Amino acid sequence: MENNSHVEMPALSPQFGVPDLVVVVIYFLLNLAVGIWASWRASRNSVSGYFLAGRNIAWWPIGASLFASSEGAGLFIGLASSGAAGGLAVAGFEWNATYMLLALAWLFVPVYLSSEIVTMPEYLQRRFGGERIRVCLSFLSLLLSIFTKISTDLYSGALFVQICLGWNLYLSTVLMLGVTAVYTIAGGLRAVIYTDALQTLIMVVGAVILTVNAFHQIGGYHNLEEAYLAATPSKIVPNTTCHLPRQDAMHLFRDPITGDLPWTGMTLGLTVLATWYWCTDQVIVQRSLSARSLNHAKAASILASYLKMLPMIAIVMPGMISRILYPDAVGCVDPEECTRVCGTEVGCANIAYPKLVMELMPSGLRGLMVAVMMAALMSSLTSIFNSSSALFTMDIWRKVRQEASEKELLLVGSDSHAAMLGRSRRHSHFRIGVP
């Protein structure tokens, strides 16, 4: 079978204009300015200053960074796509985080702070003893970051840029990684957190504008269910029901037997996964450890909890509206039609969010939404790079070089950060399939 990654996806009309390009350039310059400002203010003379921002960050940038770190480009594409294909239930993944963030601040962070750790493998070593568990967990975390988190975010962000603009995927990814490298390598976690705060603002503003515009197109929320259940494509596969929207599309909790996302799994099983991610993953915990006090860490989690309620309204529902407005494109089921629309035979739900952006947003605001996607990509990548650098430096390099000075650890931390960026550029080249 032909590899669909080499199929050229048509750019969605209307086309990207000069006002849109100006907005994107302003976004990059503003992001770069905040990153450089934070880098200059960062304490880069100690391991704690580089990897934990001197443990002196206020609650509001940490809360924004917790949200931005989890809202990568993959979530914008994936949540809207799942909303278009199946309805509201996928929002349970986001809402589940609201109470796990509170568990992080009230149950886990006090223990981590009292242990005075930098990384999670370091905590496990102190808790259970032995070096092997620390090194093994560090290696596992690094491998998972490279082959799951980074690759998914790079592909999703580049897919959005290609669909909206028709730009070369590899060059677009390299541009974003290049801007990211300027401040994250030099400024450490402090630069990452403050740029995340800026990117959270951009994401929320852009997503809310698009959501309001989308609901206006269908006549308001009260029309959502009826219009969604009627959103079927004109070309269907005979003798099948794959073109019909789910009848339980508006149900957040679904039947444990017949539901695609049964409520038992979404409330019990998902909680186990959410506990790992929100309470023990290095990317999340590292931000909470940078708080200037336990009270600031708690306030940051509360802010992030409120922000995690937004994706259902600002991402999932717009994905459903995209299917309502463009059933032949977003809701296609005929393989030939899907190949024509988005370059793949198995469906085009992935274009739900970018389709809405390019069709509904006026010139200038389209640029804002592209900046939103770039912000989502860059915030998640910078978080992963910084955390992976901390894992490699503190848990692996210090094991190999037990006599390493603090200056050497800082140098290794910045070098490993740069190496992660370079590896990501090469990995994106392979994953996206650019010739």
Side-chain angles (χ1 to χ4, degrees), residues 227-236 243-245 323 327-328 331:
Y228 180 81
L229 294 178
T232 57
S234 56
K235 294 183 66 175
I236 66 173
H243 60 283
L244 297 176
R323 175 169 179 159
D328 289 335

Side-chain angles (χ1 to χ4, degrees), residues 104-106 108-111 113 288 291-300:
L104 167 69
W106 267 263
F108 290 83
V109 169
V111 177
L113 289 176
S288 296
R292 60 182 56 164
S293 68
L294 180 58
N295 286 337
H296 278 267
K298 291 180 177 179

Side-chain angles (χ1 to χ4, degrees), residues 33-292:
V34 172
I36 293 174
W37 169 80
S39 298
W40 279 110
R41 295 192 60 187
S43 173
R44 292 168 286 178
N45 298 323
S46 66
V47 169
S48 176
Y50 187 80
F51 290 122
L52 295 180
R55 300 182 189 268
N56 193 36
I57 303 295
W59 61 273
W60 62 268
I62 295 176
S65 183
L66 287 171
F67 174 75
S69 299
S70 66
E71 296 297 320
L75 272 182
F76 272 87
I77 297 290
L79 287 177
S81 169
S82 298
L88 292 180
V90 69
F93 285 90
E94 297 296 288
W95 282 17
N96 188 275
T98 57
Y99 55 87
M100 295 316 304
L101 276 162
L102 301 181
L104 167 69
W106 267 263
L107 298 179
F108 290 83
V109 169
V111 177
Y112 298 150
L113 289 176
S114 64
S115 301
E116 297 184 348
I117 60 169
V118 177
T119 67
M120 286 306 301
E122 182 182 1
Y123 171 75
L124 287 182
Q125 180 191 5
R126 295 192 180 191
R127 176 65 179 82
F128 298 107
E131 293 280 348
R132 285 179 295 179
I133 188 173
R134 180 175 181 178
V135 175
C136 288
L137 182 58
S138 297
F139 270 116
L140 180 61
S141 298
L142 288 172
L143 289 175
L144 289 174
S145 294
I146 294 171
F147 292 108
T148 59
K149 297 179 181 178
I150 294 176
S151 60
T152 301
D153 282 334
L154 281 175
Y155 180 71
S156 300
L159 176 67
F160 184 92
V161 173
Q162 185 192 33
I163 291 174
C164 290
L165 312 179
W167 290 359
N168 181 279
L169 296 178
Y170 184 50
L171 292 179
S172 301
T173 304
V174 168
L175 173 65
M176 287 182 280
L177 290 175
V179 173
T180 299
V182 171
Y183 59 84
T184 56
I185 294 175
L189 183 62
R190 186 183 187 91
V192 172
I193 286 178
Y194 276 101
T195 52
D196 278 355
L198 170 66
Q199 289 158 355
T200 295
L201 177 64
I202 294 172
M203 280 191 280
V204 171
V205 170
V208 168
I209 292 174
L210 179 61
T211 302
V212 171
N213 200 353
F215 273 112
H216 176 72
Q217 294 294 317
I218 64 169
Y221 173 79
H222 60 280
N223 291 328
L224 178 62
E225 180 175 10
E226 181 181 354
Y228 180 81
L229 294 178
T232 57
S234 56
K235 294 183 66 175
I236 66 173
V237 179
N239 301 320
T240 66
T241 59
C242 59
H243 60 283
L244 297 176
R246 293 187 60 89
Q247 293 300 307
D248 57 359
M250 299 300 291
H251 293 188
L252 190 60
F253 296 101
R254 297 186 175 175
D255 189 275
I257 305 299
T258 61
D260 58 334
L261 294 171
W263 70 266
T264 48
M266 293 296 288
T267 55
L268 302 177
L270 182 58
T271 300
V272 177
L273 178 63
T275 302
W276 161 76
Y277 180 74
W278 290 105
C279 300
T280 67
D281 186 69
Q282 178 67 24
V283 172
I284 302 301
V285 172
Q286 192 171 343
R287 272 136 193 78
S288 296
L289 292 177
S290 69
R292 60 182 56 164

